Amino acid sequence: MREFEITRARKSDAEALAALEAVCFPPEEAATLAGFEARLDAFSDWFFVAKTPDGEIIGMIDGMATDEASIADEMFEDASLHREDGEVQTVFGLDVLPAWRGKGVAGALMQAFTDAARQAGRRKVTLTCKAHLIGMYEHFGFTLIGRARSVHGGAEWFDMDLRLEGAK
């Protein structure tokens, strides 16, 4: 039995999500509280959290749906670009507190997220990541596409895709 459960986030989780993001990303890349509030308003069904039995949020995954092949920087800032009927599910962030890394939290979050994307009829899940995380996402079944057009936060990003089979 694992020491956490995966649930959908609630709007009341916004502050905890912003705090988690601030631990996992540098300030120039992290989403703000206002950003999380806007995202939760626009696509709350696409926020999954890992919580301990006492309710502490130890991890999260989120992203909007689109018909674009990959993530564009403006998507991070404009939650209204979400298309509920989009064919592509993005991953904006997969955050896990450092003390919980290596304990299956990221994998459980990714599994819940990709299962939901498949059930929603998405064709694929796409994300951008830094070079040192490519291997982790390959372990989750993603394929490296190449250098991303994103320059979010001034970093170098790589596009990765997971083709979904059995989507509705």
Side-chain angles (χ1 to χ4, degrees), residues 47-59:
F47 273 84
F48 290 81
V49 294
K51 289 185 176 183
T52 62
D54 66 358
E56 177 190 10
I57 294 176
I58 58 170

Side-chain angles (χ1 to χ4, degrees), residues 21-74:
E21 181 98 341
V23 169
C24 296
F25 284 92
E28 59 275 7
E29 297 170 16
T32 63
L33 174 57
F36 277 115
E37 290 171 339
R39 290 178 187 181
L40 284 161
D41 282 342
F43 49 92
S44 63
D45 284 348
W46 295 99
F47 273 84
F48 290 81
V49 294
K51 289 185 176 183
T52 62
D54 66 358
E56 177 190 10
I57 294 176
I58 58 170
M60 67 135 233
I61 189 171
D62 76 301
M64 70 171 50
T66 182
D67 287 322
E68 299 296 322
S70 61
I71 296 173
D73 286 346
E74 58 269 14

Side-chain angles (χ1 to χ4, degrees), residues 1-7 49-59 96-97 99-106 108-109:
M1 187 169 142
R2 54 185 194 207
E3 303 172 51
F4 59 90
E5 67 172 339
I6 306 298
T7 65
V49 294
K51 289 185 176 183
T52 62
D54 66 358
E56 177 190 10
I57 294 176
I58 58 170
V96 176
L97 287 175
W100 284 88
R101 293 178 186 161
K103 297 181 179 183
V105 177
L109 285 163

Side-chain angles (χ1 to χ4, degrees), residues 43 46 61-72 75-76 82 87-93 113 117 122 124-128 142 160:
F43 49 92
W46 295 99
I61 189 171
D62 76 301
M64 70 171 50
T66 182
D67 287 322
E68 299 296 322
S70 61
I71 296 173
M75 292 176 183
F76 293 114
H82 171 69
E87 291 189 351
V88 177
Q89 182 64 50
T90 67
V91 175
F92 284 169
F113 197 78
R122 306 286 194 257
K124 72 175 183 174
V125 177
T126 191
L127 58 83
T128 60
F142 284 77
M160 299 193 75

Side-chain angles (χ1 to χ4, degrees), residues 91-138:
V91 175
F92 284 169
L94 175 58
D95 301 357
V96 176
L97 287 175
W100 284 88
R101 293 178 186 161
K103 297 181 179 183
V105 177
L109 285 163
M110 185 60 77
Q111 188 66 56
F113 197 78
T114 56
D115 286 350
R118 187 174 290 106
Q119 290 172 351
R122 306 286 194 257
R123 182 174 48 85
K124 72 175 183 174
V125 177
T126 191
L127 58 83
T128 60
C129 70
K130 293 179 180 167
H132 72 278
L133 294 172
I134 291 171
M136 179 185 79
Y137 288 113
E138 286 176 335

